[in-house]
Amino acid sequence: MTAQIIDGKSIALAVREGLTPRVEALKAKGITPGLTVLVVGDDPASAIYVRNKDRACKKLGMAGTVTRLAEETTQEELLQIVHKLNADEAVHGILVQLPLPKHIDEQAVLRAIDPDKDVDGFHAMNAGRLMNGEEGFVACTPKGVMRLLEMTGVDLNGKNAVVVGRSNIVGKPMALLLLQKNCTVTIAHSRTKNLAEVTRGADILVVAVGRAEMITGDMIKPGAVVMDVGINRVDGKVVGDVDFESAKEVASFITPVPGGVGAMTIAMLMENTVEAAEHYAQR
Ligand code: NDP
């Protein structure tokens, strides 16, 4: 079997095009959806993500602002900026680029963001809403994976889903979203014994670990849908957590890296920001 390759790039483009009329409708009411990205320090990987987010905003005619702060910025200073943005009516989405320097408590900063402006969906309030099955902002990467899964047309009901990775920003919300769609979900992590045995049980396999090409074709059930969240730089090349060449011979659908999940993450961020501005317009 050779897998169908899920073209995240063109699906993301369609999502972004679908947002254009919503942005225009808001602008007609005098509201330009605004996203502010806060960057502390100069992590090179973050710089690329931030540039892409900013570009995506501009392309959609939204107001994208990037506030760059020095590595030495204190937690108190950062919290003050967040409070200011919470009160700013022109800002509908606030995103704090992670990771933050070690002297800053990430959770304290995320908790300070107004949950109605938390377009990354990382605030405990939004994480809790997802847990309870209530409306709220859903983290962009897992939300994007769900959208890509939808596009495959595969019925998720009753399927065995395995999520490798249990981070708050990808693995855990991913597992909850799959559970909402009635999958039987297993979460694997660094302490999981016999990982290959676990992954081979997956009809739907989502990998978010951060280890280049660690999931190989022999760890995948024939016909499985494979979603590769990983972004790893190896010898100047970007590769996923899945060994694409061997995996595509076994899977039914697979996302490439780059051009798969990553492209969707930014589209979902734009969608969340437009949604935040729409909620603001209704208030
Ligand atoms: P984290 O480092 O926060 O989490 C990694 C997870 O992988 C942890 O739960 C860890 O387990 C688990 N893990 C580590 N080693 C193994 C192993 N050998 N076997 C099984 N599980 C293991 O990473 P993130 O969730 O933030 O990101 C994961 C990957 O996704 C990265 O490559 C990142 O760059 C990428 N990413 C891509 C995005 C996109 O837009 N496409 C967005 C966000 C992230 P434990 O908890 O036990 O330590």
Side-chain angles (χ1 to χ4, degrees):
M1 174 183 294
T2 301
Q4 237 171 286
I5 295 166
I6 302 171
D7 183 355
K9 235 177 171 172
S10 59
I11 298 169
L13 183 67
V15 169
R16 296 217 296 261
E17 281 170 0
L19 292 174
T20 305
R22 290 168 64 182
V23 172
E24 278 164 8
L26 282 161
K27 282 183 157 177
K29 291 183 192 161
I31 298 166
T32 301
L35 171 70
T36 295
V37 178
L38 289 174
V39 190
V40 186
D42 46 17
D43 179 51
S46 294
I48 301 171
Y49 299 138
V50 171
R51 197 185 60 210
N52 291 342
K53 285 166 188 171
D54 196 41
R55 272 193 194 152
C57 271
K58 304 249 151 68
K59 266 193 200 153
L60 268 169
M62 293 170 28
T65 308
V66 181
T67 302
R68 292 177 204 282
L69 302 163
E71 178 89 19
E72 314 71 67
T73 304
T74 65
Q75 181 166 320
E76 200 41 51
E77 286 166 340
L78 183 56
L79 288 174
Q80 271 172 21
I81 294 169
V82 171
H83 293 315
K84 238 182 175 172
L85 293 171
N86 283 343
D88 187 338
E89 301 218 4
V91 175
H92 307 102
I94 304 169
L95 186 153
V96 176
Q97 186 64 39
L98 303 179
L100 287 170
K102 292 209 168 28
H103 64 277
I104 298 177
D105 175 357
E106 230 161 68
Q107 280 306 319
V109 175
L110 295 178
R111 266 198 308 273
I113 299 172
D114 177 347
D116 291 338
K117 297 190 178 189
D118 169 42
V119 286
D120 240 350
F122 294 168
H123 191 291
M125 173 80 86
N126 284 315
R129 285 170 174 155
L130 174 63
M131 172 95 183
N132 288 357
E134 293 170 25
E135 285 280 306
F137 289 117
V138 175
C140 301
T141 301
K143 185 178 178 180
V145 170
M146 291 310 288
R147 207 59 74 78
L148 293 178
L149 279 172
E150 249 170 55
M151 300 299 296
T152 65
V154 170
D155 180 13
L156 297 179
N157 220 13
K159 291 277 162 43
N160 284 333
V162 173
V163 180
V164 190
R166 57 175 165 179
S167 69
N168 287 345
I169 64 172
V170 189
K172 282 184 203 159
M174 190 70 246
L176 287 168
L177 289 168
L178 289 162
L179 191 60
Q180 268 181 12
K181 293 289 176 193
N182 301 320
C183 288
T184 303
V185 183
T186 304
I187 306 178
H189 45 78
S190 68
R191 314 289 170 90
T192 297
K193 297 210 163 60
N194 294 326
L195 181 65
E197 210 171 278
V198 176
T199 57
R200 273 197 291 266
D203 302 306
I204 313 292
L205 178 62
V206 183
V207 191
V209 172
R211 283 173 172 251
E213 299 173 331
M214 70 168 282
I215 302 290
T216 45
D218 58 320
M219 297 169 78
I220 296 169
K221 178 176 177 174
V225 178
V226 178
M227 312 296 286
D228 188 356
V229 178
I231 299 176
N232 309 284
R233 282 172 185 78
V234 180
D235 301 330
K237 225 180 116 198
V238 175
V239 298
D241 289 345
V242 175
D243 173 38
F244 186 76
E245 287 309 315
S246 61
K248 79 175 188 339
E249 298 306 322
V250 190
S252 58
F253 289 92
I254 188 167
T255 56
V257 178
V261 175
M264 276 308 270
T265 298
I266 294 187
M268 293 299 103
L269 176 66
M270 297 301 112
E271 188 173 279
N272 281 355
T273 306
V274 171
E275 235 170 77
E278 286 171 345
H279 290 163
Y280 169 79
Q282 282 159 14
R283 267 184 249 134

